[in-house]
Amino acid sequence: MADILVYVPETGKHAAEVLTLGRSLGDVSAIAFDAQSAALASEYGAAKVYRVSAEGADDYFVDPKATVLADVARKTEPAAFLLPSTDEGKALAARLAVDLDNGLLTDVTGLDAEGVAEQDIFAGATITTSKITKGFTLATVKAGATEAEAAPSEPVVEDVEAEVAESDRRVRIAESVVEPAGDRPGLAEADVVVSGGRGVGSADDFALIERVADVLGGAVGASRAATDAGYYPHKFQVGQTGTTVSPQLYVAAGISGAIQHRAGMQTSKLIVAVNKDADAPIFSMADFGVVGDLFEVLPQVLEEAEKRK
Amino acid sequence: MNIVVLVKQVPDSGLARQLDAELRVDRNGANNVMGELDEYAVEAALQLKEAHGGEVTVLTLGPDQATETVRKTLAMGADKAVHVSDEAVAGSDALATSKILAAALGRLEWDLVIAGAESTDSGMGVMAHMLAARTGAAAATGARKIELDGDAITVEHQRENGYDVLTASLPAIVSVWDTINTPRYPSLKGIMAAKRKKVETLTVADLGIDPSEVGAGAATTEVLTAADRPERSAGQIVTDEGEGGRKLAAFLAAEKFI
Ligand SMILES: Cc1cc2nc3c(=O)[nH]c(=O)nc-3n(C[C@H](O)[C@H](O)[C@H](O)COP(=O)(O)OP(=O)(O)OC[C@H]3O[C@@H](n4cnc5c(N)ncnc54)[C@H](O)[C@@H]3O)c2cc1C
Ligand SMILES: Cc1cc2nc3c(=O)[nH]c(=O)nc-3n(C[C@H](O)[C@H](O)[C@H](O)COP(=O)(O)OP(=O)(O)OC[C@H]3O[C@@H](n4cnc5c(N)ncnc54)[C@H](O)[C@@H]3O)c2cc1C
């Protein structure tokens, strides 16, 4: 079977998806820099785990890990090397492409055993298929490309001891600030996302969006107009320059549906829109839409949900 | 402090965009504009220049019409520009693009390069790291804030659930998100002044690169097919006449969300 390398950065839904996709193409060899990532790899069916220990790698941005990944790729000559399409995954892939002089495809939404990848371009308006013509299939995989399926395995573990070279100590991570996520599910991982836009009108009124999210067990998102106006913190922004989400249900309230917003939510399974403007572009992609005032419509939804409990 | 800003001309994302018969971005039919995040990169460079002195040079790789985008950056306040324009570049992949940009950077004096975190058309989000690999400069990408203190640069790297504080020594390559600033509009005075600013136009041969190393012929990725996304099957749209919320709740219940 083909040897598929997968970089497993963290224990999340996205990493599990990439492992699942890799498994559909061949035998997965996962590269893990910590115990949690290694555990995720065996939960999702890796045949082999490269368990890397590199003293100090976590203190520096991108470079130390890029060097390790390039070394493993040189040694194993894989059929494919998959990374999640996160900032880090893309940065590592960029380094690999240059270091190995190998083609690169980013944000693939599907990939077959022949190396033919699917990509969404122009904010999803066009779907292309592409392949790499120089080197192995090096690709970053977009969140939501596949459904993660666990397949517990007992992988062969190979320990990799790496030294962090002076030249990889250029950009120091002096501090990592994690802003508390609260009780709701993480935006990128949530099965339900309820987003508010400029139409919500104020920070106080975002409480209504939060209540709807809580009733549906979902995360709260926001459009850029809402984050720019300070109605909701920026880290909850959905879209091209915010988080890309792909939940089972996406509710857009008081959001017009600008292309940059759609780029971050259009692969949602079901889309619901509430907007008082019948011509808002968001309705063209909605599975269910209500033309109306969100302050009338959403409280009624809460009432009904209460009754059905 | 010499800063180079990387700017790419792209088709306006607000209008319909398409690929041409060769499966490349149709740049002729489109209304071409500066990459959205590149405006933030230009603004970041101008603010650093205002605080620390020095010169801002814009570097772009693209067809002749990209001159309009270059003019806009000069009108915003950049000092001069280098425009690499060559038929041979058409169809270049990211590797070739980075090779050309790195060669152009090699001819310039710079302490800091600022790019957009991702372009508006292809949005790969890789250029800053590819250039770091080729030039040996430090790459501190995805910035929502940049601070300079002599030779030391501090960048707040935006993450989904917070941020990392990155520190490095110049020379460095930084890319920026739209959280970093609010780009200025060119003033009338700026537009007039831009006309007198210098734009150097170069071919890839001028950069010491053989044209056969770039363009579609040298590409390491190939687009096989392109198709319009099938329209989402038309949804059910109801107008609220007092029952809209109840109808929505019924839909959510039927789909088992409540
Ligand atoms: C570089 C760049 C990056 C960007 N990145 C993003 C991104 O990542 N995410 C993003 O979202 N945007 C992004 N944008 C901004 C995007 O172009 C839009 O400006 C933004 O999405 C608009 O947000 P909105 O829909 O909330 O606001 P608007 O477009 O103002 O729409 C508000 C909507 O609310 C409706 N409304 C008002 N009151 C009510 C009410 N009481 N009840 C019901 N409906 C009501 C109105 O009819 C209207 O349709 C980006 C732009 C640029 C240039
Ligand atoms: C729809 C589409 C899909 C593509 N897919 C692939 C692919 O999968 N693999 C591949 O190798 N190539 C691909 N290409 C080609 C690739 O986009 C170009 O080579 C491009 O110049 C580099 O990619 P980017 O703009 O996405 O870079 P990004 O890394 O997203 O660009 C980030 C920043 O780098 C700077 N920059 C980028 N290009 C230039 C430029 N020409 N001049 C000056 N500054 C610049 C800008 O500041 C920009 O904001 C694709 C092109 C298109 C149109």
Side-chain angles (χ1 to χ4, degrees), chain A residues 196-200 222-226 237-242 253-261 274-277 280 292-295, chain B residues 36-37 40 178:
Chain A
R198 198 197 306 272
V200 176
S223 72
R224 174 158 156 202
Q237 182 175 310
V238 171
Q240 184 199 311
T241 52
I255 292 178
S256 61
I259 187 139
Q260 296 93 347
H261 189 78
V274 181
N275 195 303
K276 63 182 183 191
D277 174 8
D293 188 331
L294 70 93
F295 295 105
Chain B
E36 286 167 356
L37 290 172
Y40 296 81
D178 52 347

Side-chain angles (χ1 to χ4, degrees), chain B residues 33-44:
Chain B
V33 298
M34 185 178 344
E36 286 167 356
L37 290 172
D38 301 354
E39 297 203 20
Y40 296 81
V42 173
E43 179 64 34

Side-chain angles (χ1 to χ4, degrees), chain A residues 147-209:
Chain A
E147 200 114 349
E149 269 174 53
S153 60
E154 281 183 27
V156 178
V157 177
E158 183 174 326
D159 288 312
V160 178
E161 299 276 339
E163 293 262 330
V164 178
E166 203 45 49
S167 56
D168 285 340
R169 295 173 188 261
R170 282 181 301 202
V171 182
R172 195 181 170 77
I173 304 175
E175 196 188 344
S176 251
V177 180
V178 177
E179 288 158 354
D183 297 337
R184 297 193 182 87
L187 195 49
E189 319 260 294
D191 284 331
V192 175
V193 175
V194 181
S195 290
R198 198 197 306 272
V200 176
S202 72
D204 287 346
D205 285 322
F206 248 80
L208 177 58
I209 303 296

Side-chain angles (χ1 to χ4, degrees), chain A residues 215-284:
Chain A
V215 157
L216 297 170
V220 175
S223 72
R224 174 158 156 202
T227 58
D228 275 358
Y231 300 168
Y232 220 63
H234 173 267
K235 68 176 172 179
F236 295 101
Q237 182 175 310
V238 171
Q240 184 199 311
T241 52
T243 302
T244 299
V245 301
S246 187
Q248 299 298 318
L249 171 68
Y250 188 83
V251 180
I255 292 178
S256 61
I259 187 139
Q260 296 93 347
H261 189 78
R262 297 205 308 260
M265 46 65 77
Q266 61 180 342
T267 54
S268 306
K269 299 286 173 314
L270 278 180
I271 295 172
V272 166
V274 181
N275 195 303
K276 63 182 183 191
D277 174 8
D279 295 327
I282 191 78
F283 284 125
S284 70

